[in-house]
Structure formats: C-alpha cells, structure tokens
Amino acid sequence: MSPMFNFDAEFRLGIDLVDREHSQLVDMLNHTYELLSAGRRAEARRYFEEALTDYIAVHFADEEAFLEEIGYPHLEEHRRIHEQFKQNFATLKPRIASEDDAAFRQALNDAFTWLLVHIGKADRRYARFYAGQQKES
Ligand SMILES: [Fe+2]
Ligand SMILES: [Fe+2]
C-alpha cells in the first residue's frame, strides 16, 4: 500500500525542527491510513485519536515557542489559527468512530488537506519572516 502523500520538498520550510515535525505529522497520517487499509480500524482510530492528536498539540506548542523566540509579529493570529485547526480536527471524530471505512478515509483526506494548506500558507508566512531575519543578521 503506497502512502497517500509523500512529504515533498515543496513543504519544506527550511527550519529543521519544524520540518521534522511536519514530516512526522504526515507520516502519522499515512500510518493511520495504512492501519485502516490493513483492516485494523480500531487500532487506526485509537492511533488517530491519541498519538496523532497529541502530536498535533506538541507540534503547535513547539511552533508557537519558536515564533515567540524569533519575535514573529503575527504570533497571536497564528495561535488562533492553531486553535481553530484543533477544533476542526476534533469534528472529524464521529467519522473516525463510524463503522464506515469510506467515512474514515474521507476524514483522513480532510485532515491531510487542512495540514498541507496550513503548512503551505500560515506556516510558510512565518518561514518567510524568519528567512528575512536571517538575511539581515
Ligand atoms: Fe506547523
Ligand atoms: Fe502553524
């Protein structure tokens, strides 16, 4: 079973800690997908609701600490976007909990899309700020 998505160079922001964590999140979504495809739905559900959900919180906290460290001027806005993301993510639960594999798969697809849109837009915005800062110093 091939993964849904390979962490492409396009999503690399050039900040090691952040790139490692983003790549880990993509791997975890792929892993959930693989468990589901292998017919291990209960395990996939637990993995999604526990390991993956916890890791998202860890990543957001690490990222916000980094943004604070570099004095990112849009930190508060980014925090709000993370909060909204977690809330959206929580709305996937009923579909993950359903007996319907297609609904589960669709929820994973949505999670992928949200994650990639977040990295590609909001996270890329602070990466540009950081790159500019590095150039000046
Ligand atoms: Fe991020
Ligand atoms: Fe972020």
Side-chain angles (χ1 to χ4, degrees), residues 63 78 82 118 123:
E63 199 173 82
H78 204 97
H82 282 168
H118 181 76
D123 288 354

Side-chain angles (χ1 to χ4, degrees), residues 22 45 56 62 101 122 129:
H22 286 164
R45 176 187 174 183
I56 284 178
D62 285 348
D101 280 2
F129 169 81

Side-chain angles (χ1 to χ4, degrees), residues 66-134:
F66 171 73
L67 297 184
E68 197 155 358
E69 205 179 291
I70 65 171
Y72 185 53
H74 310 289
L75 174 55
E76 282 319 307
E77 187 189 339
H78 204 97
R79 263 192 226 285
R80 277 197 298 276
I81 296 172
H82 282 168
E83 261 331 294
Q84 187 62 54
F85 189 105
K86 282 192 242 178
Q87 282 173 31
N88 287 343
F89 207 74
T91 68
L92 299 176
K93 273 191 167 183
R95 284 147 75 195
I96 298 290
S98 81
E99 296 293 299
D100 179 1
D101 280 2
F104 194 139
R105 218 171 259 120
Q106 189 54 50
L108 287 178
N109 271 315
D110 286 356
F112 259 102
T113 304
W114 295 343
L115 183 65
L116 296 181
V117 167
H118 181 76
I119 295 172
K121 289 190 175 166
D123 288 354
R124 188 167 294 284
R125 188 176 181 208
Y126 76 66
R128 270 197 301 266
F129 169 81
Y130 181 63
Q133 213 179 34
Q134 296 302 96

Side-chain angles (χ1 to χ4, degrees), residues 28-48:
M28 290 174 93
L29 274 165
N30 278 325
H31 183 65
T32 313
Y33 191 81
E34 281 160 10
L35 286 172
L36 182 65
S37 297
R40 294 153 72 183
R41 180 164 3 97
E43 225 177 308
R45 176 187 174 183
R46 207 166 342 110
Y47 188 77
F48 183 90

